[in-house]
Amino acid sequence: MEQTKSFVTMNHFRKKPHVFVIVVLGLAVIYFFFPVWWLVVAATKSNSGLFFGSGGSMWFDKKFAFFENISQLSSYGDGIYWRWIGNSFLYAMIGGLLSTIICVMAGYGFAKFRFRGRNTYFSIVLGALMIPSTALVIPTFILMSNVGIVNTVWAVILPSLLNPFGVYLMRIYCTESLPDEMIEAARVDGAGELRTFFQVSLPIMTPAVTTVGLLSTVGCWNNFFLPQVVLTNQSLFPITVGLTQWQVKSQAGAASEQIWNLVTSGSFLSVIPMVLAFLFLQRYWVGGLTAGSVKS
């Protein structure tokens, strides 16, 4: 009987595939929403509320301590938390911007210019995608040490400029969405390569540029392993490394200082900039998808 009911249910989903898709997507949304909800709730609790709160781990405590936590964040360690946030903005903005520029130029060059060894060079870029970024941290540290820039902001920014996936994405987009006829027409009209790129090609590439920019910026913002290896000066830490130091400090034992409330509220504040970036830049993905399109 139970097998018959299961069979009928599966047939129902097969006859209405959109129902199955909606159910799966709904479950996925719930699954991914739970950690975010926990972080929002945990950011409003004190240390005692995190472990012994009346509402449990997934609901608010009687004492709403969010603003108190923010006040402690600003005073703890002479306000080092906001220094870490500023460092993350510095690494993400400079690293993300320069990485995007390099990816756009490289992808456009691979897609629209013919030169000797183009496919070989692009195969090397694709091969770099197969190498885990963590496997490159130690060689990068040795290189930075030989150059003499360990424990500086450049030790974090320079390695983040290389984004093989961004180059791959830009080449695919330029190949598929940027007609060669438009570029040739601009050249015939007397436009130079720079003018053709900035006035003809770049507006059409807006969705891909925005995507690569967001991915590069988020990658720099979330960068953890490399800064932890190349930085020893606490004032240069990004927020990812700084919060980890607080977490390790809280886990050291009963004799150590317990600042779990600062870890949770600090983590909550640290994700807000990236969420806002996705929300405000989303319109470029949608609005620019058909920009500059032509009929063949």
Side-chain angles (χ1 to χ4, degrees):
M1 190 65 179
E2 294 295 333
Q3 293 180 352
T4 302
K5 291 182 179 180
S6 300
F7 181 75
V8 173
T9 303
M10 289 302 298
N11 283 338
H12 176 73
F13 281 135
R14 289 173 181 173
K15 292 179 181 179
K16 297 182 178 181
H18 64 280
V19 176
F20 177 75
V21 172
I22 292 175
V23 171
V24 172
L25 292 178
L27 293 175
V29 168
I30 294 174
Y31 175 78
F32 287 109
F33 177 73
F34 264 108
V36 179
W37 175 252
W38 179 89
L39 181 61
V40 172
V41 171
T44 65
K45 296 181 180 181
S46 62
N47 263 326
S48 59
L50 285 171
F51 297 99
F52 310 106
S54 59
S57 60
M58 300 300 296
W59 196 249
F60 300 96
D61 192 21
K62 293 181 179 179
K63 180 182 178 182
F64 188 82
F66 177 73
F67 297 106
E68 181 181 343
N69 293 339
I70 301 302
S71 177
Q72 292 183 26
L73 278 175
S74 301
S75 59
Y76 188 82
D78 294 329
I80 191 66
Y81 174 82
W82 301 111
R83 177 64 180 268
W84 293 340
I85 287 287
N87 292 339
S88 291
F89 269 108
L90 175 67
Y91 301 145
M93 294 299 104
I94 296 180
L97 176 62
L98 296 181
S99 176
T100 302
I101 293 175
I102 293 175
C103 291
V104 171
M105 295 293 186
Y108 179 79
F110 277 124
K112 298 303 176 182
F113 290 93
R114 304 293 184 265
F115 53 90
R116 182 178 299 178
R118 182 183 67 160
N119 293 331
T120 302
Y121 295 143
F122 189 68
S123 297
I124 295 175
V125 173
L126 292 180
L129 288 173
M130 308 300 172
I131 304 176
S133 58
T134 52
L136 300 176
V137 169
I138 301 303
T140 301
F141 172 79
I142 296 175
L143 177 62
M144 296 298 172
S145 179
N146 292 335
V147 177
I149 59 175
V150 172
N151 203 31
T152 66
V153 297
W154 298 111
V156 179
I157 293 176
L158 291 180
S160 65
L161 302 186
L162 303 179
N163 184 0
F165 178 75
V167 176
Y168 168 77
L169 182 63
M170 288 306 308
R171 181 188 180 178
I172 297 299
Y173 189 88
C174 290
T175 301
E176 299 295 331
S177 302
L178 187 58
D180 292 335
E181 293 78 7
M182 293 184 62
I183 298 177
E184 292 299 330
R187 291 169 178 170
V188 170
D189 289 341
E193 293 298 335
L194 288 178
R195 184 178 179 184
T196 301
F197 173 76
F198 284 107
Q199 295 187 2
V200 177
S201 303
L202 193 59
I204 302 176
M205 298 162 57
T206 300
V209 173
T210 305
T211 302
V212 172
L214 275 176
L215 293 178
S216 300
T217 302
V218 172
C220 295
W221 183 273
N222 293 331
N223 196 6
F224 167 73
F225 194 38
L226 177 65
Q228 189 179 39
V229 172
V230 300
L231 297 178
T232 57
N233 187 354
Q234 190 180 29
S235 62
L236 296 178
F237 285 170
I239 190 61
T240 51
V241 178
L243 290 178
T244 302
Q245 297 293 325
W246 282 1
Q247 180 181 357
V248 172
K249 183 177 182 179
S250 299
Q251 290 176 334
S256 63
E257 187 176 5
Q258 301 296 307
I259 52 175
W260 290 108
N261 61 321
L262 302 186
V263 174
T264 55
S265 57
S267 300
F268 173 73
L269 291 180
S270 68
V271 303
I272 292 178
M274 293 299 101
V275 172
L276 294 178
F278 273 97
L279 292 178
F280 284 109
L281 294 178
Q282 185 180 11
R283 65 189 181 93
Y284 291 102
W285 296 351
V286 179
L289 285 176
T290 57
S293 60
V294 296
K295 293 183 179 180
S296 57

